[in-house]
Amino acid sequence: MGLQDNLHEQIAGLRRYALVLTRNRDDAEDLVQDTLAKALDKAHTWQPGSDLRPWLFRILHNTHVSNLRKQKVRADAAPDLPEPVMPETQTASMELKQVLGALDKIPEAQRKPILLVALEDMSYADAARSLDVPLGTFMSRLGRGRAALRTLLGEMKRGKLHLIA
Amino acid sequence: MTVPTPSQTDFDPDLHAYVDGRLSPDAAAEFDARLDGDPELRRLADAMIGDRDAIRSAADGLDTGPVNLRTAALERQLAQRLDRRRWQAAIAGPVSRQVAAGFVMFALGWGAHMALAPAGTVYPSYVAEGLGAHTVFAGDTVHPVEFTPETTVAALDWMSEKLKHKIDSPALDALGLQLVGTRLSGTREGPLAQFIYEDRSGNRLSLVVMPHPEGAPEAGLRVARQDSNSVGYWSDAALDFAVIADTSDLQIETVAAEVTRNVALSR
């Protein structure tokens, strides 16, 4: 696969990941665009011949953390403003809504490893590198996060309402 | 809701690798056998696979919008930037010093000269690069080429890959020009292949080939003079060409016609 096709595929992966991470189409697109703009500035740090994916995801993660920090500053500065209304996300079924809802309840440090291995065919080592954490920490967060997800989904299914999948 | 403390099983690296399909076939079969003997672990593995698939489906369900134009533009820019970076790294091999020396000469010599060229002498950038390459390398009778005619075939395959188009060394024997060898250089616009030919008296001619920018119009042959050199340049849908030699414009047109004929035959 040529570099152009490879990049196109990786950006589709970034968008997919960003959508699940932010749960908002505009935020996800902004995150992807910020990531690409930073990648343009940091093109000299990419080692030709190496996999583009961990390099791009690392930039995306750093951008995301930095955006969250900015959002927090804005939120702290305007405590009286009501929460913005997020557009309802189109989801195929109740089961998928439940999965997304459960993911939202998991701490972000655990959510990212779960999403990376579920959505991206990245090695654990590359995924850990893209998050700037040691492999041991990554595996520990993955294990903890998946256990939490299991528990949350189990509780949702045990609810009184019969939800149609 | 309280999340119970994860058990040791939750941290089993083999379990995660099994769920994520990252075990070798042998290791996966071994783990399968372990699951056969442990129904509880089998249930957990199946549930984790179900969760993973549900996350994938949810992501697919979210990702249905049209491609954003700004994202697409950034993607194009990044592809170009990375391609250039890849290209720069490709020439940073054993010949890098030679190439670097060539560009220093270009910058100090021909490049500076270009700045003094009469107003209105504006070439497409690949022609300027080609003129520089011709001035620096074709005149060098000791080390003018990277690939001799014998090694050119293998080099051309590599070049074809870099130029993203199959190129053959255009034989100009019919015009009495023998291939001396080829060079591959990097420019701001991308890779540049330079074929150096020689006539019976040792006069040199350069044929320069570069990938034609996507979406840019094709252009018919134009001939211009740069000092004693005549340069003929044209573009087809795939490649940009320039022929440069210290000769008459008419001879350059003849060579250009022969190159075009050869290229058409090889496609």
Side-chain angles (χ1 to χ4, degrees), chain B residues 36 62 111 115 126 128 157 161 163 171 177 180 204 214 265:
Chain B
D36 287 343
L62 292 172
Y126 77 91
D157 288 341
E161 214 239 328
L163 291 165
L177 294 168
V180 177
R204 295 280 171 91
E214 221 177 289
L265 286 176

Side-chain angles (χ1 to χ4, degrees), chain B residues 148-190:
Chain B
T148 60
E150 290 73 29
T151 58
T152 285
V153 174
L156 280 176
D157 288 341
W158 189 68
M159 286 185 190
S160 299
E161 214 239 328
K162 294 289 163 201
L163 291 165
K164 297 199 181 84
H165 289 285
K166 177 83 183 103
I167 51 166
D168 296 305
S169 166
L172 297 176
D173 305 40
L175 299 175
L177 294 168
Q178 300 298 319
L179 182 70
V180 177
T182 53
R183 300 195 66 88
L184 191 56
S185 312
T187 75
R188 278 179 306 173
E189 313 299 325

Side-chain angles (χ1 to χ4, degrees), chain A residues 31 34 62-72:
Chain A
L31 179 56
D34 288 350
N62 289 337
T63 309
H64 185 233
V65 168
S66 145
N67 287 357
L68 286 180
R69 212 173 288 136
K70 281 184 209 153
Q71 278 168 17
K72 188 175 180 309

